[in-house]
Amino acid sequence: MSPFDVLLPRPAEVEPADGVFPLGPATALIGSLPAVEWLRAELRAATGLPLTESGVAVIAFSLDASLPAEGYRLEITPTAVWIRAGDETGALYAAQSLRQLLGPAAFRRSPVHSGQFELPCGVVLDRPRFGWRGCLLDVARHFLPRSDVFRFLDLMAAHKLNVLHLHLTDDQGWRMEIERYPRLTTIGAWRERSTVGHGKLGALDNRPHGGYYTKDDLREIVAYASARGITVVPEIDVPGHTQAAIAAYPELGNTGDQLGVWTGWGINPNVVNVSDETVKFFRTVFDEVVEVFPSEIICVGGDEVPLDQWSASPQARARMAEQGLTTEAQLHGWFIRQMAVHLAERGRRIIGWDEIAEVGDLPPGAIVASWRGEQAGVDAARAGHQVVMCPEQHVYLDHRQSDHPGEPIPVGYLSTLADVYAYEPVPAGLEASAAAQVLGAQAQLWTEHLDTPRRLDYAAFPRLSAFAEVVWSPAERDPEAFLRRLSDHHLPRLDALGVEYRPLDGPHPWQTRPGVPGLPR
Ligand code: ACM
């Protein structure tokens, strides 16, 4: 057991040495990097120490181009701490590791610790295994107030995760202000009531739900994320999952009906039509999206598109004839390409759910998010496309965590902590050239049944901690050692941060939802 066995995700290499570096009033924190300012603010709050730029014992940060991207080298001696990082993001991860080495009290906002803070001597040499270490947050089904998004970003950063996939629109709500189309939020951002429990079994409450982010709110989220090494990939889901938009602008639909924002959960038959006006509408929406989000990669959704309304639509048939398409599914691909071409003209490329790989040629540079399993990712990688692995059988964190009778609203596949920890992002048997197309993996937090930040905490943690290790750490895994690190060192850190995670032996009584129906798969 080395004193570095507290680190989670586990670093690539460690070399323990004797001794400790004590933090005290004369400790200086130096280096002109954002990571230094972040660490100073966090540690001043938690330790009460001044950590100014001058002192006798230094913690010094600098960049070193010989280290890999996002990587760092942390050397702790009894008299000084030297941190070299491959880039600014690597410095942030070094700062996160350094905070972990100080113990759970370093995660508090005020000094509550009576003893001395100290770092164990030795060297940590660390770098991520994958470049895409993502988590999807569905703020469409249940809106998440901005302050809670900031908190979630802090938690992601503490786990060295680097992509927040923000699912901004769906049938049940539109959450991004679009100046050109204000009704998307005046009408589309709220619903009259919600289904409580699985979509097939739950009953409606009578409680309006809503909320949206202004463009400035989103700019603030992007900047806050960026300061923590996180890219926000926005998702505007088309051409399905669009009932909230159709409720706001009925001319986007196929039937002419005035729909409401959907109050159910599941796959929705109401998809947008394929008129020139509708294509133009969503191109304008994406113009406003790229104005706010600097991410090169923009998610266009593309999942779960029932074709019945297009089958019944003369307009859709005319579009198929015009484009020489023989199936409605190809129309789905055509719609996605209209968005992709427009985004490409603005220097962006798309990521889409794996259905986009089935409905026609993928646009150049498109990334496939393999969610219905691993096969779509395997096929896309072999065909030379980049992929992000998100299979629902493994990394859907809204799915049930156990067969415990108290598991709240148990939906989806059984995904225990051990299952998530055992997940391997590079599918077995994939040739090296195709494996190189796997950018990484992404955990999903869909929120049909996660209606509050407390429910999100329960679903996300500690499984997201296990996922962080899957995407950051070297491929070899030791489940028992992970569990020890988690229970002895990481859960106390989450406690210090006020995270209401699922206890390892089952939910607290107040985390259960008796009588609310789930539907296990
Ligand atoms: C999805 O879960 N519909 C991507």
Side-chain angles (χ1 to χ4, degrees), residues 249-490:
Y249 293 94
E251 61 270 29
L252 297 173
N254 290 283
T255 64
D257 296 337
Q258 174 62 66
L259 303 171
V261 176
W262 202 24
T263 58
W265 313 126
I267 299 179
N268 187 313
N270 294 301
V271 303
V272 297
N273 65 43
V274 292
S275 68
D276 290 339
E277 292 73 23
T278 293
V279 167
K280 190 155 168 267
F281 181 102
F282 282 99
R283 285 177 159 179
T284 302
V285 166
F286 278 110
D287 284 343
E288 295 201 23
V289 167
V290 299
E291 201 189 295
V292 171
F293 292 94
S295 168
E296 184 210 349
I297 295 159
I298 305 285
C299 186
V300 296
D303 57 325
E304 297 176 324
V305 184
L307 301 172
D308 311 271
Q309 291 188 345
W310 289 344
S311 301
S313 157
Q315 182 189 57
R317 273 201 302 282
R319 179 68 78 189
M320 286 166 64
E322 173 207 279
Q323 294 294 319
L325 308 176
T326 52
T327 66
E328 286 83 4
Q330 292 171 341
L331 211 45
H332 174 180
W334 172 83
F335 195 94
I336 294 293
R337 283 192 299 279
Q338 301 314 298
M339 300 302 125
V341 166
H342 189 71
L343 285 164
E345 285 164 2
R346 282 144 190 79
R348 312 299 177 99
R349 58 191 178 116
I350 67 161
I351 184 168
W353 299 109
D354 59 38
E355 286 92 333
I356 69 166
E358 276 180 0
V359 291
D361 292 340
L362 279 172
I367 301 170
V368 174
S370 187
W371 76 275
R372 290 175 296 173
E374 297 181 288
Q375 195 58 46
V378 168
D379 294 344
R382 284 189 172 141
H385 304 289
Q386 291 181 323
V387 304
V388 174
M389 298 303 293
C390 327
E392 59 175 345
Q393 296 82 355
H394 300 281
V395 288
Y396 268 40
L397 302 187
D398 52 315
H399 287 190
R400 64 205 168 92
Q401 312 202 37
S402 77
D403 286 322
H404 189 291
E407 210 57 70
I409 322 183
V411 298
Y413 292 102
L414 178 63
S415 292
T416 65
L417 175 69
D419 292 336
V420 173
Y421 188 68
Y423 174 61
E424 170 47 49
V426 178
L430 203 60
E431 315 68 45
S433 60
Q437 300 294 91
V438 178
L439 298 178
Q442 181 171 287
Q444 274 57 234
L445 284 164
W446 300 105
T447 60
E448 290 92 331
H449 311 299
L450 309 178
D451 58 346
T452 64
R454 300 185 78 176
R455 289 281 291 128
L456 266 178
D457 271 9
Y458 179 88
F461 297 103
R463 290 184 297 178
L464 193 60
S465 310
F467 177 79
E469 186 143 323
V470 166
V471 285
W472 176 278
S473 303
E476 311 73 50
R477 269 166 252 163
D478 178 343
E480 279 173 30
F482 168 75
L483 210 52
R484 270 198 306 279
R485 260 180 305 123
L486 180 75
S487 57
D488 294 353
H489 303 288
H490 197 64

Side-chain angles (χ1 to χ4, degrees), residues 151-180:
R151 176 178 177 275
F152 194 76
L153 286 163
D154 284 332
L155 289 169
M156 283 182 67
H159 289 86
K160 303 185 172 80
L161 297 169
N162 70 344
V163 176
L164 176 67
H165 177 157
L166 203 53
H167 183 75
L168 285 165
T169 68
D170 215 302
D171 298 305
Q172 299 87 356
W174 184 285
R175 308 284 173 223
M176 175 178 176
E177 172 191 28
I178 300 293
E179 284 166 85
R180 174 71 182 80

Side-chain angles (χ1 to χ4, degrees), residues 496-514:
L497 286 167
V499 176
E500 295 188 273
Y501 57 84
R502 180 191 185 278
L504 298 180
D505 56 359
H508 290 298
W510 62 88
Q511 292 175 318
T512 66
R513 293 295 305 273

